[in-house]
């Protein structure tokens, strides 16, 4: 199986370059110089790519690799110019002492600081290898596809960007609504995938799968390490554990792959840790236990705020739904920062500042409420379990009736919660984690009503989407828990063998790395054993060619691969989108009558209902002539969920009988899949 994937390594390297280089250049040009910019780079690259698609469409310039590179260079130059206008910035006096009050003795601080890049690289490598290996096992062959109806839109959207050169979030949905001037759909995922299509032999499915490997394996892991660095400091142990933990959850990204597939959500959620890390740095050092953290001055806050705005733009251009996760976690974080500032102002007896902070707090609450309500929807998924069970599922990361429990992650989370409560700077993180647990429980077990809809309506009251947010707070807690356990073990060993010694011996100094290595050697394999078995099996079921509700069977896919032998590039094909016919566009690059599931429009209705036995000048033939339809693709009566109810609308292109239906002539058949030519209208 792996040998099939190696040929697409160049495509993976290219998409990783597009995911890293634009964001890295943008941050560097803006004056960011810390090593963390490497970990945060994909979030900025998504903003660059997403904005490029919008701008090029407004300028009527095609979107492709060349125009993307040119635009990225221009945006980098603009970032450099803006960076020159903003003061360099610094830090408030004494902020280092405030941050170091957590009394965390990291071995990477001071002369051991060089260990952080090593630890971050190791954590990224381990997490990426574990995740990519798991995903390849789930996907199987590179050209396989998730057999869920949302994937019809995703795959066709990639082909649409390649064909039209339109990669704009403002107009991507014109693929399904061509008459709309503004047709919003987050385009970032599809833009990145479209850049790889020429490197995959023009195979959209392969480009799509390689994009998944890049985002889930590399971007998500790097983002988790970035957040752990911002909250916990430059510890190599923390970095490796964060990278390992990122690949240890069945609820993300595997849960969204098997359920949705929610690929745009996967990209957006993979960026949320960076946005949270930037928000923490913006609000000040007293919200972390990072001994190297500083509280920025006014100029420093302006630069961090600008970076945060860019990343928030990336969230919106990839999938605004993930912005809700940041808003939820921001409640305890922002409240803690506000309360600390209010306390400091009161102690200093600065009445004017106290009034300003009170006004800012009221404004922040109002803005948060408005934005939260704007992102809500009226969609309702019914509850399926009890509240107690839902809470237990979330705490054990075994949501949505999973039997598996990643016990090593659960134990480390508990250790991290204890350590965070002990260090008052991170108590907000515990509250944030429990808040996400609560929101999952509301989606999974809450009574339908206005309260439930307001709380989780932004996630379509979908428990799978809520479950996928849990690793956002769990990963830093797990990393903190591992560090806390190592510290406790080291302290116990040193106390046992160095009774009453004031100066640490060389053996004491060597204790920490030895214990840390033992901890890592234990955590890495245990994070992958048994706990992901069920999620892997569910994922494989989503990618199998055979199933009662699949989009495509292998026979249908093989027919589409050969369809160019008969159908010219400018000839349209009449299809039933509910049985997978719409993917003739993504697979074979041939126009179809519908690019996603849904009912046919007034013009199309008579064609798909009566074209099989239509006579010249009949409504069906008139529609075929107007829509340039010369072919019919019949994929039988195996429908996606909901397709059976719409089957009567597509009688003319479903289960065709060439003996009776004289207007269609069989051209090619592969099992139950058949291609017909319209022969009786002219």
């Amino acid at each position: 199986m792996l040998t099939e994937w190696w040929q697409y390594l160049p495509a993976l390297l290219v998409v990783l370059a597009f995911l890293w280089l634009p964001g890295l250049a943008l941050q560097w040009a803006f004056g960011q110089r810390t090593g963390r910019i490497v970990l945060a780079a994909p979030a900025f690259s998504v903003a660059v790519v997403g904005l490029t698609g919008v701008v090029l469409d407004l300028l009527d310039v095609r979107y492709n690799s060349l125009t993307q590179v040119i635009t990225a260079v221009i945006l980098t130059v603009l970032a450099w110019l803006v960076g020159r206008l903003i003061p360099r910035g610094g830090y408030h006096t004494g902020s280092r002492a405030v941050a170091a009050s957590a009394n965390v003795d990291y071995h990477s601080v001071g002369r051991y600081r060089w260990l952080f890049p090593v630890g971050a690289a190791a954590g990224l490598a381990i997490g990426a290898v574990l995740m990519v290996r798991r995903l390849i096992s789930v996907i199987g062959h590179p050209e396989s596809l998730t057999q869920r109806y949302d994937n019809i839109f995703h795959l066709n959207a990639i082909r649409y960007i390649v064909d039209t050169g339109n990669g704009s979030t403002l107009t991507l949905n014109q693929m399904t609504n061509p008459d709309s001037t503004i047709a919003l759909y987050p385009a970032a995922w599809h833009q990145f995938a479209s850049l790889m299509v020429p490197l995959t032999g023009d195979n959209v499915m392969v480009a799509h799968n390689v994009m998944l490997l890049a985002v889930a394996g590399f971007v998500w892991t790097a983002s988790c390490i970035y957040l752990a660095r911002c909250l916990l400091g430059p510890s190599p142990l923390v970095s490796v554990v964060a990278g390992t933990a990122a690949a240890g959850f069945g609820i993300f990204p595997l849960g969204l792959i098997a359920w949705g597939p929610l690929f745009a959500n996967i990209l957006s959620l993979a960026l949320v840790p960076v946005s949270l890390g930037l928000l923490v740095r913006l609000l000040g050092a007293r919200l972390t236990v990072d001994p190297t953290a500083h509280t920025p001055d006014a100029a420093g806050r302006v630069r961090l705020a600008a970076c945060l705005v860019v990343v928030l733009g990336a969230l919106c251009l990839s999938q605004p739904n993930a912005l809700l996760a940041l808003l939820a976690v921001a409640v305890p974080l922002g409240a803690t920062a506000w309360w600390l500032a209010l306390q400091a102002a009161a102690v200093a007896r600065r009445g004017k500042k106290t009034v300003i902070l009170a006004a800012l707090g009221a404004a922040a609450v109002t803005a948060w409420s408005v934005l939260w309500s704007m992102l809500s929807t009226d969609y309702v998924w019914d509850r399926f379990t009890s509240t107690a069970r839902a809470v237990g599922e979330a705490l054990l990361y075994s949501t949505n009736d999973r039997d598996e429990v990643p016990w090593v992650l659960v134990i480390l989370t508990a250790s991290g919660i204890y350590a965070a409560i002990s260090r008052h700077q991170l108590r907000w993180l515990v509250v944030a984690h429990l808040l996400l647990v609560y929101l999952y429980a509301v989606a999974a077990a809450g009574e339908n009503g206005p309260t439930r809809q307001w709380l989780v309506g932004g996630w379509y009251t979908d428990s799978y989407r809520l479950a996928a947010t849990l690793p956002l707070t769990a990963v830093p807690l797990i990393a903190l828990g591992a560090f806390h356990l190592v510290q406790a073990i080291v302290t116990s060993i040193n106390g046992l063998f160095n009774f009453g010694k004031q100066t640490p011996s060389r053996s004491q100094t060597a204790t920490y790395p030895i214990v840390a290595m033992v901890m890592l050697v234990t955590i890495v394999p245990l994070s992958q054993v048994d706990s992901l078995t069920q999620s892997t099996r569910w994922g494989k079921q989503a990618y199998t060619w055979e199933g009662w509700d699949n989009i495509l069977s292998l026979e249908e896919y093989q027919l589409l691969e050969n369809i160019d032998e008969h159908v010219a590039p400018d000839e349209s094909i009449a299809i039933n989108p509910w049985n997978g016919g719409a993917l003739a566009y993504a697979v074979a690059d041939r126009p179809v009558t519908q690019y996603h599931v849904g009912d046919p429009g007034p013009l199309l209705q008579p064609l798909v209902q009566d074209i099989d036995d239509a006579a010249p000048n009949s409504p069906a033939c008139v529609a075929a002539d107007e829509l340039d339809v010369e072919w019919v693709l019949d994929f039988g009566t195996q429908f996606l969920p909901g397709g059976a109810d719409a089957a009567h609308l597509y009688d003319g292109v479903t289960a065709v009988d060439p003996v009776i239906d004289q207007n269609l002539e069989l051209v090619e058949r592969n099992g139950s899949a058949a291609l017909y030519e319209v022969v009786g209208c002219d």
Side-chain angles (χ1 to χ4, degrees), residues 275-460:
S275 62
L276 180 57
L278 286 170
L279 184 59
V280 169
R281 293 175 61 196
L282 177 65
L283 293 177
R286 291 185 295 177
L287 300 168
T288 79
V289 293
D290 175 12
T292 67
H294 303 277
T295 298
D297 61 9
R301 289 185 189 276
V302 169
R303 286 183 174 271
L304 284 173
C307 291
L308 180 59
V309 168
V310 172
V311 175
L312 292 179
L315 294 184
C316 294
L317 291 166
S318 51
Q319 176 47 262
N321 184 256
L323 185 60
L324 285 166
L326 180 63
L327 287 176
V329 175
V331 171
L333 173 62
T336 301
W338 178 81
W339 180 249
L340 290 174
L342 195 64
Q343 278 185 321
V347 170
R349 297 184 179 181
R350 301 175 65 179
K352 183 178 180 180
K353 186 176 181 179
T354 302
V355 173
I356 293 174
L357 284 170
L360 286 175
V365 170
T366 302
W368 184 96
S369 300
V370 170
L371 185 56
W372 184 273
S373 299
M374 287 176 57
L375 293 172
S376 186
T377 68
D378 295 329
Y379 201 92
V380 177
W381 281 96
D382 292 330
R383 62 177 184 167
F384 59 89
T385 188
S386 65
T387 300
R389 180 178 175 84
V391 171
E393 286 180 348
L395 291 174
L396 297 177
Y397 310 125
S398 57
T399 60
N400 304 105
D401 294 326
R402 283 178 170 80
D403 298 325
E404 60 190 15
V405 177
W407 285 112
V408 66
L409 302 186
V410 172
I411 293 170
L412 291 176
T413 302
S415 174
I417 290 174
Y418 172 82
I421 293 174
S422 301
R423 300 163 170 85
H424 64 274
Q425 291 96 330
L426 285 181
R427 289 175 182 173
W428 67 266
L429 182 61
V430 177
V431 176
H433 185 66
L434 296 178
L435 180 59
L436 293 179
V437 169
Y438 168 73
L439 290 175
Y440 167 78
V442 171
E447 292 279 357
N448 288 335
T451 302
R452 179 175 185 251
Q453 204 63 35
W454 186 79
L455 285 172
V456 295
W459 286 277
Y460 310 97

Side-chain angles (χ1 to χ4, degrees), residues 144-178:
S144 297
L145 70 152
T146 36
Q147 303 279 1
R148 302 289 184 267
Y149 74 85
D150 273 353
N151 213 19
I152 296 175
F153 181 90
H154 292 308
L155 294 172
N156 280 343
I158 297 170
R159 175 65 69 186
Y160 178 79
I161 293 175
V162 174
D163 281 356
T164 66
N166 174 15
S168 173
T169 291
L170 300 181
T171 56
L172 180 61
N173 214 18
Q174 286 180 346
M175 181 184 72
T176 57
N177 300 288

Side-chain angles (χ1 to χ4, degrees), residues 424-630:
H424 64 274
Q425 291 96 330
L426 285 181
R427 289 175 182 173
W428 67 266
L429 182 61
V430 177
V431 176
H433 185 66
L434 296 178
L435 180 59
L436 293 179
V437 169
Y438 168 73
L439 290 175
Y440 167 78
V442 171
E447 292 279 357
N448 288 335
T451 302
R452 179 175 185 251
Q453 204 63 35
W454 186 79
L455 285 172
V456 295
W459 286 277
Y460 310 97
T461 64
D462 181 3
S463 59
Y464 285 87
R465 285 178 169 89
L466 265 303
T469 66
L470 292 171
L472 171 63
T473 49
V475 169
L477 285 173
I478 289 166
L480 177 61
F483 180 80
H484 172 72
L485 288 177
V486 169
Q487 268 198 322
I489 294 171
V490 169
T491 300
S492 299
I493 293 175
N494 289 341
L496 181 63
F497 293 101
N498 296 277
F499 301 103
K501 288 188 177 181
Q502 299 299 316
T503 304
S505 65
R506 181 172 299 179
S507 61
Q508 281 181 290
T509 305
T511 304
Y512 180 90
I514 293 173
V515 175
M517 286 300 299
V518 172
M519 177 68 72
L520 292 176
V521 170
T522 303
I523 291 174
V524 172
L526 289 181
S527 69
Q528 301 294 304
V529 175
D530 295 333
S531 62
L532 291 172
T533 303
Q534 188 176 33
S535 292
T536 301
R537 185 172 68 251
W538 287 357
K540 288 182 177 181
Q541 290 172 353
Y543 277 93
T544 183
W545 288 108
E546 304 301 330
W548 66 272
D549 60 348
N550 278 11
I551 304 175
L552 289 180
S553 67
L554 187 57
E555 292 174 343
E556 293 165 348
Y557 178 72
Q558 291 170 343
L559 177 63
L560 291 180
E561 283 190 308
N562 298 323
I563 208 170
D564 58 348
E565 297 177 2
H566 308 287
V567 182
D570 59 343
E571 296 175 345
S572 295
I573 305 173
I575 52 94
N576 180 346
W578 293 95
N579 62 13
L583 283 179
Y585 181 55
V587 178
D589 193 14
R590 295 297 183 267
V592 293
T593 48
Q594 284 179 265
Y595 294 91
H596 196 24
V597 294
D599 293 341
L603 177 60
L604 181 60
Q605 177 71 69
L607 189 157
V608 294
Q609 196 158 26
D610 300 319
I611 192 64
D612 54 340
D613 56 1
N617 298 319
S618 66
C621 285
V622 171
D625 181 61
E626 189 165 344
L627 296 172
D628 295 323
V629 170
E630 300 183 37

